[in-house]
Amino acid sequence: MEQPIALKSKLLRAIELVTLFIGIPTAYYYDLFPFHKIIPLILGALYTIALLVFDKSFNRQEIGLNGFKNYKRMLLRSTGVFIILVAATYLIAPDQLFFLPKNATWLWAVIMLMYPVWSVIPQELIYRTFFFHRYQLLFTSNTAMIIASGVAFSFMHIIFENIVALVFSLAAGIILSIIYSRHRSLLGISLEHAIYGNMVFTTGLGTFFYIN
């Protein structure tokens, strides 16, 4: 039987998880924030950074490459993802296929440069590095952790108010969580996420990932 202190720690950690990963996206969805929707993401990133900085048990090597070397596998996965995204865009929104690079080249170029820095790294810090370290005591298996991280990542995308964003982000979240669980590298997983994300906006499926 678990000690009362351990049970209390788990309860508090569970409340934190629900607040951050269910409460905040839900508040987004119902437009309960009196300020721009990017602010909670920034505040969330700052909160996770603060907790990790002051957590002596956190392995700071996970911030860098941490031995990540599987670039060939990343390339193969990215090739497969690109083919799927092209096919999906053609079937779901054919009028958007390669719309940005063909019709708004400068905007597309800005997204390619800014999205990895301002969106991907905060997301991966929160949903992979922070999530895996902070909530490991709540899950009895690595598989459960991967699923929880992937589902939380997908749920965040309710802010886009469409099923396509939820489905594709769930698939991406599971894949990214599996990969992160193997090498624990924020920089490595951010690179792969950036590749996927940039391909989403390049192929045209990014039309489902804009805040209304």
Side-chain angles (χ1 to χ4, degrees):
M1 185 175 181
E2 290 187 83
Q3 296 297 319
I5 294 178
L7 288 173
K8 182 178 180 181
S9 297
K10 283 189 174 183
L11 178 59
L12 291 175
R13 203 62 59 89
I15 292 173
E16 180 186 80
L17 187 157
V18 170
T19 301
L20 289 176
F21 297 95
I22 297 179
I24 291 179
T26 300
Y28 259 72
Y29 185 77
Y30 288 103
D31 200 23
L32 300 179
F33 291 118
F35 36 73
H36 195 279
K37 292 183 175 183
I38 195 63
I39 294 178
L41 179 61
I42 296 174
L43 293 177
L46 293 175
Y47 177 76
T48 58
I49 290 172
L51 287 179
L52 292 177
V53 165
F54 292 104
D55 188 343
K56 294 182 180 179
S57 67
F58 174 63
N59 180 9
R60 285 160 177 73
Q61 290 184 345
E62 294 182 19
I63 297 296
L65 286 174
N66 198 27
F68 178 79
K69 297 178 180 179
N70 296 321
Y71 297 104
K72 289 183 179 180
R73 291 183 181 180
M74 181 189 293
L75 179 61
L76 288 173
R77 286 192 296 267
S78 298
T79 301
V81 168
F82 181 74
I83 293 172
I84 291 172
L85 290 175
V86 170
T89 306
Y90 179 77
L91 293 172
I92 300 172
D95 58 315
Q96 293 295 319
L97 189 61
F98 299 114
F99 181 86
L100 279 180
K102 290 190 299 184
N103 299 283
T105 307
W106 280 108
L107 175 60
W108 171 76
V110 170
I111 292 174
M112 295 301 100
L113 293 174
M114 302 302 292
Y115 171 75
V117 176
W118 294 106
S119 183
V120 169
I121 293 178
Q123 287 183 56
E124 288 307 317
L125 177 66
I126 296 170
Y127 285 89
R128 245 63 67 178
T129 303
F130 175 80
F131 196 98
F132 272 73
H133 175 74
R134 185 75 172 171
Y135 305 117
Q136 56 186 333
L137 79 167
L138 297 178
F139 301 98
T140 57
S141 70
N142 192 52
T143 299
M145 174 68 80
I146 288 170
I147 293 173
S149 173
V151 170
F153 180 73
S154 175
F155 188 71
M156 178 264 290
H157 289 77
I158 64 170
I159 64 174
F160 299 115
E161 301 182 6
N162 68 83
I163 191 64
V164 174
L166 289 174
V167 170
F168 277 88
S169 60
L170 177 60
I174 295 295
I175 292 172
L176 292 170
S177 293
I178 290 173
I179 297 167
Y180 183 78
S181 71
R182 295 172 179 170
H183 57 67
R184 297 297 184 103
S185 166
L186 173 61
L187 189 57
I189 203 63
S190 294
L191 176 60
E192 186 149 355
H193 185 164
I195 293 172
Y196 293 170
N198 279 353
M199 288 193 300
V200 164
F201 289 107
T202 298
T203 58
L205 208 63
T207 189
F208 296 100
F209 290 83
Y210 291 116
I211 296 176
N212 295 323

